[in-house]
Amino acid sequence: MNRQQFANTIIGDRSIDLKKSATAFAPSNIALCKYWGKRQRELNLPVNSSLSISLGEYGTSTTIKVIDSKFDEIFLNGNQINNNDSFAKKIIDFIDLLRQNIDFSVRVNTINNIPTAAGLASSASGFAALTLAINELLSLELSNKELSMLARLGSGSASRSIYDGFVVWNRGEREDGLDSFAEKLNFSWPGLCIGLCTIVNAQKSISSRDGMNRTVESSFLYQSWASQAEHDILLIKDAILKQDFVLLGSTAEHNSLSMHATMISAFPPVIYWTPESLAMINKIHLLRSKGLPLYFTMDAGPNIKLLFMKENEAEVLASFPDVKL
Ligand code: PMV
């Protein structure tokens, strides 16, 4: 099955009622057990299941408006992007999947309140918000499960940004990808905090897509990744259930560092860390050795996400005054 066939299968024989415009918001998410590696590229089917927490009001708001023009127009944070730019192309390709033979053009306005492509997962909230907005524009009334599978075609982690709170993306087994979607875990943990430390607010050198493909192709360490992820996701679910912060933080940090180990052992290596990232990791470890329960996770970029409990917020802020909560 190709992407178009997959999108057609999800939409099925729903009747389409094209509205004039639609707006949707989706939160960004941070994986505590990472998605790293595809078992099938065309449909973005992952090697392993992953588990994330959403970032609440940090995310993407997308407005999609039908316009009287031959071409789509793509705006990012108020600036028009050339349709040949890779960012615009990905959005237009995604909309093409869902246009369902109706001849219309749109203006897409994407507003991110998080840095784009700096390891803060704006592609996740971006494709999730776009999927939600198109669902509204075409009056499709898709279920969350269907929305999650469509968002997955834009970016794997977008499958998780359809929901807020804790979310699991089950890898699924099927070749047609119809069992690979995210679901919300019905647990909340009010005292759990995530702090965003922005080291670099710029486009990353290697996209997560290229980075993970290169890792799968060339890293010998990658062979152990799937079994570690399977193990870690169980521990993290258990930590959430028991509200055991040390178990959650230590497992998430270990999972993230193990993912980076597979990247570094790819060839050519995929190294997202900068000296500033490493200095921050050392600082976190030093503070932890002095008794502060502080952990971190990192994605495909140099930025660090701190994990800590509300009762330790003042101490964390004292050591990391620029952290965004
Ligand atoms: O969804 P993608 O293709 O941008 O990949 C996301 C990969 C990580 O952010 C590193 C991990 C994750 O699960 O979000």
Side-chain angles (χ1 to χ4, degrees):
M1 176 158 348
N2 65 27
R3 290 158 67 79
Q4 187 62 66
Q5 288 163 333
F6 184 84
N8 293 348
T9 305
I10 298 288
I11 293 173
D13 55 7
R14 283 180 169 82
S15 65
I16 288 165
D17 177 16
L18 185 65
K19 294 186 182 156
K20 285 187 181 143
S21 87
T23 298
F25 172 82
S28 185
N29 74 76
I30 301 294
L32 300 170
C33 178
K34 309 293 183 188
Y35 148 54
W36 195 246
K38 301 176 206 285
R39 66 173 198 281
Q40 209 258 48
R41 290 186 191 179
E42 171 84 13
L43 298 174
N44 269 351
L45 299 178
V47 165
N48 61 284
S49 299
S50 53
L51 190 157
S52 63
I53 180 162
S54 99
L55 287 185
E57 77 264 26
Y58 284 134
T60 303
S61 175
T62 295
T63 297
I64 181 162
K65 190 174 185 302
V66 177
I67 52 169
D68 187 13
S69 161
K70 268 185 148 177
F71 304 103
D72 295 324
E73 295 173 4
I74 309 298
F75 287 76
L76 174 60
N77 293 334
N79 303 314
Q80 186 163 9
I81 310 286
N82 188 300
N83 282 9
N84 293 319
D85 181 280
S86 69
F87 176 84
K89 271 190 180 157
K90 275 191 231 160
I91 291 184
I92 295 170
D93 283 354
F94 188 78
I95 298 170
D96 283 345
L97 288 175
L98 305 174
R99 253 187 258 262
Q100 300 294 297
N101 300 325
I102 308 174
D103 191 19
F104 66 98
S105 296
V106 289
R107 178 175 303 134
V108 178
N109 247 309
T110 295
I111 309 283
N112 283 328
N113 61 5
I114 43 168
T116 298
L120 287 178
S122 56
S123 68
S125 52
F127 278 108
L130 184 62
T131 307
L132 291 165
I134 297 174
N135 178 47
E136 187 71 26
L137 188 79
L138 302 183
S139 319
L140 292 172
E141 298 183 8
L142 296 167
S143 66
N144 284 339
K145 172 178 157 181
E146 291 166 326
L147 290 165
S148 171
M149 286 195 281
L150 282 183
R152 190 195 76 214
L153 295 182
S155 155
S157 52
S159 65
R160 301 186 307 243
S161 273
I162 294 294
Y163 310 88
D164 57 15
F166 292 109
V167 179
V168 172
W169 172 17
N170 294 306
R171 69 184 286 280
E173 304 292 333
R174 293 166 58 144
E175 272 314 296
D176 63 11
L178 289 166
D179 59 352
S180 185
F181 53 85
E183 288 174 304
K184 186 175 163 69
L185 287 181
N186 281 322
F187 290 102
S188 64
W189 193 340
L192 181 65
C193 299
I194 300 220
L196 304 177
C197 299
T198 305
I199 289 170
V200 176
N201 190 355
Q203 295 279 329
K204 56 198 174 200
S205 51
I206 313 170
S207 68
S208 46
R209 181 168 307 197
D210 292 344
M212 72 175 76
N213 289 343
R214 195 190 293 172
T215 305
V216 174
E217 279 160 14
S218 65
S219 163
F220 281 83
L221 292 189
Y222 189 74
Q223 286 164 19
S224 62
W225 169 252
S227 42
Q228 178 171 354
E230 209 176 303
H231 176 253
D232 289 347
I233 207 166
L234 292 177
L235 290 183
I236 292 172
K237 278 184 187 165
D238 199 38
I240 295 169
L241 191 74
K242 295 181 180 144
Q243 308 235 318
D244 179 340
F245 176 69
V246 171
L247 180 61
L248 181 102
S250 57
T251 310
E253 184 173 311
H254 187 197
N255 181 270
S256 165
L257 288 172
S258 302
M259 174 183 75
H260 281 272
T262 71
M263 298 172 177
I264 292 167
S265 63
F267 209 80
V270 180
I271 304 178
Y272 290 111
W273 301 6
T274 63
E276 291 81 6
S277 321
L278 207 50
M280 204 172 270
I281 292 174
N282 288 336
K283 189 169 167 182
I284 293 164
H285 287 166
L286 183 68
L287 289 165
R288 203 153 78 215
S289 72
K290 291 182 178 160
L292 183 67
L294 174 66
Y295 296 85
F296 72 92
T297 183
M298 284 178 82
D299 292 286
N303 299 320
I304 303 241
K305 292 95 182 188
L306 302 176
L307 302 169
F308 56 93
M309 293 300 296
K310 188 80 184 163
E311 67 239 34
N312 299 117
E313 187 179 298
E315 276 174 277
V316 171
L317 282 173
S319 296
F320 298 94
D322 296 331
V323 72
K324 274 177 105 184
L325 298 175

